[in-house]
Amino acid sequence: EAGVTQSPTHLIKTRGQQATLRCSPISGHTSVYWYQQALGLGLQFLLWYDEGEERNRGNFPPRFSGRQFPNYSSELNVNALELEDSALYLCASNTRGRTEETQYFGPGTRLLVL
Amino acid sequence: QQQVKQSPQSLIVQKGGISIINCAYENTAFDYFPWYQQFPGKGPALLIAIRPDVSEKKEGRFTISFNKSAKQFSLHIMDSQPGDSATYFCAASKTYNTDKLIFGTGTRLQVFP
């Protein structure tokens, strides 16, 4: 079974630019979660999408946004990039509506803002 | 009240020794406590999880101990091996609300031969 995939693996942008990160969940999973992993801060919950809808978001400004497509893949957009947005962005997926609770993570996209 | 505090930040253990990582939470509504293991260049992977109805859960060399009254839980790695060298994250959430896993800040474990 293929795992969660993310692209690109690395992304270098400059301040003020926009970044787009992509995630493909495990086949059969309808929920996608986005996390930011900044150095020394652990994983911070960003966004949760399920069945194409944004269900919850963490304590991040509106310039962090995204969407989920009909095939359940997801896109995270970060507008007006700031230096502190440099981090590893992780995507996870699982199946909602079942007792399974494990979130399966992808390898992440490392974003560097210069 | 949403925080999960994890310690130590880093841990160095000799091969064959016991690695112990501790976490404390504040929100008494939390009732699902997973541990994730992350190797360099990889995303975190679920290692073991516990619910408050048991005080201990063991899977192979990995054991979670849970103290509900103290609002603390810990991961014990018995007979630590160099292959266990990774970053470990504890997390907490409410059952059926795992859209918002609250993670600790991570512990970098190094096991030397």
Side-chain angles (χ1 to χ4, degrees), chain B residues 5-83:
Chain B
K5 295 181 181 178
Q6 183 172 348
S7 63
Q9 189 174 8
S10 62
L11 184 60
I12 299 174
V13 172
Q14 204 77 20
K15 179 183 174 182
I18 302 173
S19 304
I20 302 175
I21 304 170
N22 301 299
C23 284
Y25 63 99
E26 300 169 348
N27 189 341
T28 54
F30 288 153
D31 59 1
Y32 175 66
F33 304 91
W35 284 89
Y36 281 81
Q37 179 188 55
Q38 185 178 27
F39 292 105
K42 304 284 186 181
L46 180 69
L47 189 62
I48 185 173
I50 197 169
R51 297 191 186 283
D53 52 345
V54 295
S55 60
E56 186 176 280
K57 182 174 181 180
K58 185 176 181 179
E59 289 185 3
R61 296 184 294 107
F62 300 90
T63 300
I64 299 179
S65 297
F66 185 82
N67 185 329
K68 188 175 181 179
S69 60
K71 293 186 285 185
Q72 295 176 345
F73 58 110
S74 59
L75 176 68
H76 292 64
I77 305 174
M78 312 300 288
D79 186 27
S80 299
Q81 299 297 311

Side-chain angles (χ1 to χ4, degrees), chain A residues 12 23 30 55 57 61 63 73 77 79 111-112:
Chain A
I12 300 176
C23 170
T30 60
R55 303 294 183 181
R57 67 180 293 129
R63 57 191 187 82
S73 66
N77 295 294
N79 294 318
L111 172 64
L112 178 62

Side-chain angles (χ1 to χ4, degrees), chain A residues 35-53:
Chain A
Y35 292 87
Q36 182 193 66
Q37 186 176 17
L39 203 60
L41 291 180
L43 285 78
Q44 305 292 317
F45 170 73
L46 259 168
L47 289 158
W48 169 41
Y49 292 96
D50 182 62
E51 298 284 358
E53 299 285 333

Side-chain angles (χ1 to χ4, degrees), chain A residues 56-96:
Chain A
N56 203 357
R57 67 180 293 129
N59 190 23
F60 282 84
R63 57 191 187 82
F64 287 85
S65 65
R67 54 180 171 167
Q68 187 177 33
F69 300 99
N71 66 353
Y72 303 115
S73 66
S74 178
E75 195 173 87
L76 174 69
N77 295 294
V78 188
N79 294 318
L81 284 165
E82 300 179 1
L83 297 178
E84 54 264 34
D85 297 334
S86 296
L88 179 68
Y89 289 83
L90 290 160
C91 169
S93 73
N94 69 3
T95 302
R96 294 291 292 179

